Amino acid sequence: MADIIQLLPDHVANQIAAGEVVQRPASVVKELLENSIDAGATSIKLVIKDSGKTLIQVIDNGKGMSATDARLSFERHATSKIRSAEDLFSLNTKGFRGEALASIAAIAHVELKTKQDQDELGTIIEIEGSEIKNQEVTVTPTGTSLCVKHLFFNIPARRNFLKSNNVELRHIVDEFQRVALAHPDLEFLMYHNGSESFNLPKSNYRQRVVNIFGNKTNEKLVPVEEETEVLKISGFVGKPEFAKRTRNEQFFFVNNRFIKSAYLNHAINSAFDGLVKDGSHPSYFLNLTVDPKSIDINIHPTKTEIKFDDEHTLYAILRSAVKHSLGQFNIAPVLDFDRDNNLDTPYNFETKSAPTPTVEVDRSFNPFREDKSLSRSNGSTSSYKKEPAAQWESLYVGLESKGTKTENDFSEVRFESEPENTSLFNGDKQIENKQTTYQLHNKYIISTIKSGMMILDQHRSHQRVLYEGLLKHLTVKESVSQQLLFPLSLEFSTSEMDILTKLKVDLEHTGFVFLSFSEEKIEITGVPVNVPESEVSIILEQLISDVEQEVPDSHFSATDLLAKSMAKSLAIKTGQSLSRFEQEHLVNSLFACKEPTVSPTNKVTFITMSVDDFDKKFI
Ligand code: ADP
Ligand code: MG
């Protein structure tokens, strides 16, 4: 039989490589920005049309390329950045694979204009799907302009796979911000569909952070500086009280390269332990400088993950540096009356006066009443929870592992009537008969039903209840709001304000009352009932980030998204302990919903287990 193995033609190999390097427009943006930085540019301009689907252009004032280099730059494994494998261990540039331009040119229409300072004239090259269409001499300023049009024009599947403009733009902005944060000493500009999105002059690091995330960021930042033999840290963490619901203000840079590291993120979280609320994420903008020899950035094709030689040491240094900064900041707190003092506890013991001892009084204690169980039931609620807990938990543990029955035949769910009784917490035996709900691990609510028992996820169930309520308000367009004593003023970046403006009317239908709505600021005088004032900014932040991640195309889905997002923010969290009344109320409200079986995001809200199921386990 004849030989059948052949070498792939270059354009096919390039297209395959492109699959790895170019996932979406944002990947092109990243590669081009990095090339400009590697070329020593001091000013870099990014121009985008239709979230990069129509055009991505990067113009820099770097060193440019000769005509031959310009041509070679599109060859695979063509790079000026490394010569030998050894160079891989002392990398000072962003790129080194020599794959980016070849890959991009394989799947788009590319126009390169470039000139070196010493040359009179520059070069223009046009390539479509790896095929050179034109190369000539041209007049162009020193530096490089790379224009990428019709991305994925020859891979319709990939093109169709792209997300909405909102989502793709969000990815581009993320890449742009990461690169701009890593290089405050360079000027960056970004334009989208003809209007300026960012104008970031050369500045110091604090100014760069503020220019990107808005003026309100300035007061949040706590400097972190540390220098040891193995690691230098500089940058900022956000004050604990500004911790956000989303993670989009968390940045690590290692040797000026943005990286993701769950491990180092954990180090920061542990430094903030006890200072931020559950579910909130502290902001950080931290630059780590290490010996290039001690890291391997080669383990991930898109290079956002790296491997450190000695992670444990880095973890410890990072954690203590952040703790130290937070401690310093707490020694001289700013005058801020809104501050939640609970957040400070670990660091200001010295200045704290001794707490006044509290005396626990059983208000219901009546020396003339004989029935002991009554006084006990009205007293500490925790005491009754503890006793049955062991029983219930052990019951649940046994069931959990064996795949619980998840199909929810709602018709089967019938509640037992709720017996009103006075000896509810009296004896273990009676509990299973009398108490209709029980909270497990502050996460699940267990309720008895005719056929056996039902286990509700408290967070998801409450989301469903809130969601349907909010949707009703939004569609009926009448809602109740509570007046704030003083107007609440919140600042947002321009892109955040764009989103809020679009949702203003819907927000009003949920109960928000706005006094003013200007370019960077909103003033709120009324909020929906049940929304605590302290949660307002978190809810709006969450909403903005949800909109950025999703696609509110029609009006209907914008309303839906708003209801979902607010339900998520406002719902009882896992970990929250609920009174018996609250538990029962939640169960009843859930089953008053139109679709009680799933959360607004289609996750199961409860499961049932029949006595038969139990019987089988006890064989
Ligand atoms: P890599 O960056 O990994 O070397 P690329 O495919 O991104 O690979 O680029 C190939 C080469 O093209 C680079 O090594 C560099 O010499 C040259 N090059 C790319 N972009 C620029 C630019 N903006 N200015 C000057 N030279 C560039
Ligand atoms: Mg490159």
Side-chain angles (χ1 to χ4, degrees):
M1 208 170 118
D3 299 335
I4 50 170
I5 297 180
Q6 290 184 357
L7 280 180
L8 287 175
D10 267 357
H11 69 275
V12 179
N14 285 339
Q15 210 167 331
I16 294 169
E20 223 179 73
V21 182
V22 187
Q23 280 120 18
R24 51 178 12 129
S27 340
V28 175
V29 168
K30 173 174 191 274
E31 294 297 337
L32 299 189
L33 292 176
E34 291 189 346
N35 278 349
S36 296
I37 292 168
D38 286 345
T42 55
S43 172
I44 300 171
K45 185 157 117 183
L46 170 65
V47 182
I48 299 290
K49 277 202 188 121
D50 301 325
S51 304
K53 293 174 184 172
T54 316
L55 170 79
I56 301 164
Q57 184 176 18
V58 171
I59 304 159
D60 69 48
N61 64 352
K63 64 178 186 234
M65 285 177 262
S66 69
T68 325
D69 280 354
R71 173 67 196 81
L72 261 179
S73 68
F74 291 102
E75 291 298 324
R76 216 141 79 87
H77 305 307
T79 178
S80 55
K81 297 168 194 174
I82 52 172
R83 299 251 175 259
S84 68
E86 263 98 79
D87 294 346
L88 272 177
F89 301 103
S90 52
L91 272 177
N92 288 313
T93 56
K94 308 261 166 195
F96 58 87
R97 293 160 178 264
E99 265 178 338
L101 291 189
S103 303
I104 295 167
I107 51 167
H109 294 186
V110 175
E111 182 199 87
L112 166 73
K113 283 193 209 167
T114 187
K115 183 179 92 69
Q116 292 179 305
D117 202 25
Q118 68 274 21
D119 295 337
E120 278 287 300
L121 290 170
T123 310
I124 177 169
I125 296 182
E126 288 163 85
I127 303 187
E128 290 176 12
S130 296
E131 213 176 292
I132 304 220
K133 296 283 176 189
N134 179 31
Q135 167 158 13
E136 47 187 337
V137 173
T138 189
V139 178
T140 180
T142 297
T144 303
S145 151
L146 218 125
C147 202
V148 178
K149 291 183 190 158
H150 310 303
L151 189 65
F152 299 129
F153 79 102
N154 50 358
I155 321 181
R158 289 302 285 276
R159 207 177 161 80
N160 297 337
F161 186 68
L162 290 178
K163 297 268 167 53
S164 72
N165 281 355
N166 258 347
V167 174
E168 294 303 339
L169 183 63
R170 179 71 245 166
H171 285 287
I172 291 175
V173 169
D174 281 348
E175 290 297 351
F176 177 84
Q177 290 181 342
R178 290 167 184 175
V179 174
L181 277 173
H183 297 275
D185 52 331
L186 310 181
E187 177 189 53
F188 287 92
L189 298 151
M190 176 173 161
Y191 296 84
H192 183 233
N193 290 342
S195 58
E196 185 181 278
S197 315
F198 290 96
N199 182 343
L200 311 173
K202 168 180 170 24
S203 63
N204 65 27
Y205 194 49
R206 181 184 274 270
Q207 282 164 335
R208 176 56 50 99
V209 173
V210 170
N211 285 339
I212 293 180
F213 296 100
N215 287 334
K216 60 172 177 178
T217 324
N218 199 14
E219 56 164 323
K220 294 191 207 174
L221 302 177
V222 184
V224 182
E225 298 288 337
E226 181 69 74
E227 190 156 2
T228 70
E229 256 173 40
V230 286
L231 170 69
K232 180 170 171 268
I233 306 171
S234 72
F236 303 96
V237 291
K239 292 178 188 168
E241 67 266 36
F242 293 104
K244 299 187 68 162
R245 196 54 81 87
T246 59
R247 294 174 189 274
N248 52 14
E249 285 188 8
Q250 300 193 325
F251 296 89
F252 278 124
F253 299 93
V254 172
N255 297 356
N256 292 334
R257 184 192 297 276
F258 171 82
I259 61 136
K260 286 186 185 150
S261 164
Y263 187 65
L264 295 185
N265 179 58
H266 192 271
I268 308 266
N269 284 342
S270 79
F272 272 89
D273 206 17
L275 295 173
V276 295
K277 284 192 228 158
D278 270 358
S280 305
H281 308 286
S283 307
Y284 54 82
F285 311 89
L286 292 171
N287 300 299
L288 317 184
T289 314
V290 297
D291 183 349
K293 287 196 191 73
S294 73
I295 51 174
D296 179 4
I297 44 179
N298 212 358
I299 59 168
H300 196 270
T302 48
K303 297 170 284 187
T304 51
E305 276 150 34
I306 65 177
K307 211 170 131 34
F308 297 98
D309 279 355
D310 187 0
E311 266 193 338
H312 293 303
T313 312
L314 299 196
Y315 184 101
I317 298 173
L318 188 60
R319 179 167 179 267
S320 85
V322 172
K323 269 198 145 174
H324 181 72
S325 294
L326 287 172
Q328 273 188 334
F329 145 73
N330 269 292
I331 287 163
V334 284
L335 259 188
D336 184 347
F337 298 106
D338 287 341
R339 262 183 58 185
D340 183 347
N341 290 328
N342 294 333
L343 301 183
D344 299 339
T345 8
Y347 293 98
N348 63 1
F349 274 134
E350 288 156 291
T351 54
K352 257 198 155 161
S353 54
T356 326
T358 54
V359 181
E360 280 185 22
V361 181
D362 181 352
R363 290 179 203 282
S364 63
F365 178 68
N366 181 344
F368 304 106
R369 190 179 292 167
E370 285 218 59
D371 184 356
K372 276 186 205 141
S373 65
L374 240 189
S375 63
R376 210 177 133 203
S377 70
N378 289 342
S380 150
T381 43
S382 58
S383 66
Y384 85 81
K385 276 184 184 158
K386 269 179 198 145
E387 286 174 42
Q391 270 200 344
W392 277 99
E393 277 161 27
S394 54
L395 174 66
Y396 189 57
V397 167
L399 299 171
E400 181 180 58
S401 56
K402 286 271 170 76
T404 44
K405 188 179 162 191
T406 47
E407 90 268 13
N408 297 307
D409 186 355
F410 187 37
S411 57
E412 267 183 27
V413 179
R414 261 167 287 135
F415 293 97
E416 285 190 348
S417 58
E418 289 163 30
E420 202 44 61
N421 71 93
T422 47
S423 58
L424 192 65
F425 313 119
N426 207 2
D428 289 344
K429 253 193 239 155
Q430 280 166 11
I431 280 170
E432 55 182 59
N433 297 329
K434 311 295 182 195
Q435 190 174 340
T436 54
T437 60
Y438 175 77
Q439 194 182 19
L440 181 70
H441 283 243
N442 290 344
K443 182 171 187 192
Y444 296 108
I445 294 170
I446 297 174
S447 179
T448 42
I449 49 172
K450 272 263 148 56
S451 62
M453 77 172 186
M454 179 175 66
I455 305 166
L456 275 78
D457 180 307
Q458 66 184 47
H459 178 59
R460 291 183 189 174
S461 304
H462 196 213
Q463 273 192 50
R464 163 54 63 185
V465 173
L466 292 172
Y467 170 72
E468 292 201 3
L470 283 159
L471 264 192
K472 204 160 101 203
H473 289 316
L474 281 163
T475 36
V476 179
K477 302 199 190 322
E478 61 182 34
S479 59
V480 202
S481 52
Q482 53 186 14
Q483 199 70 21
L484 297 178
L485 212 48
F486 302 104
L488 177 68
S489 141
L490 299 171
E491 286 181 39
F492 292 96
S493 70
T494 14
S495 58
E496 291 172 333
M497 278 306 295
D498 282 350
I499 293 174
L500 288 178
T501 314
K502 278 187 204 137
L503 291 170
K504 181 169 179 254
V505 178
D506 284 327
L507 282 167
E508 285 167 345
H509 291 144
T510 65
F512 278 99
V513 181
F514 299 105
L515 180 67
S516 69
F517 222 88
S518 66
E519 255 182 30
E520 276 206 329
K521 203 165 132 186
I522 58 175
E523 279 185 299
I524 302 173
T525 51
V527 294
V529 266
N530 299 332
V531 173
E533 189 174 338
S534 56
E535 295 273 305
V536 173
S537 77
I538 294 179
I539 290 170
L540 295 179
E541 258 176 34
Q542 177 77 54
L543 176 65
I544 291 167
S545 106
D546 286 346
V547 173
E548 280 171 342
Q549 306 303 324
E550 282 214 34
V551 218
D553 287 326
S554 62
H555 180 70
F556 170 73
S557 58
T559 336
D560 191 60
L561 189 75
L562 176 63
K564 270 188 196 147
S565 172
M566 282 186 58
K568 185 165 68 185
S569 300
L570 290 170
I572 300 164
K573 302 282 170 303
T574 296
Q576 195 167 325
S577 122
L578 302 177
S579 72
R580 235 193 91 208
F581 172 75
E582 288 167 324
Q583 296 169 26
E584 280 168 12
H585 186 69
L586 179 59
V587 176
N588 294 335
S589 317
L590 178 68
F591 290 99
C593 284
K594 285 194 197 121
E595 272 186 74
T597 52
V598 286
S599 76
T601 46
N602 264 332
K603 300 213 177 94
V604 175
T605 47
F606 68 90
I607 56 168
T608 54
M609 297 196 70
S610 68
V611 177
D612 281 352
D613 293 334
F614 292 124
D615 290 345
K616 280 181 209 143
K617 309 260 176 201
F618 283 103
I619 290 171

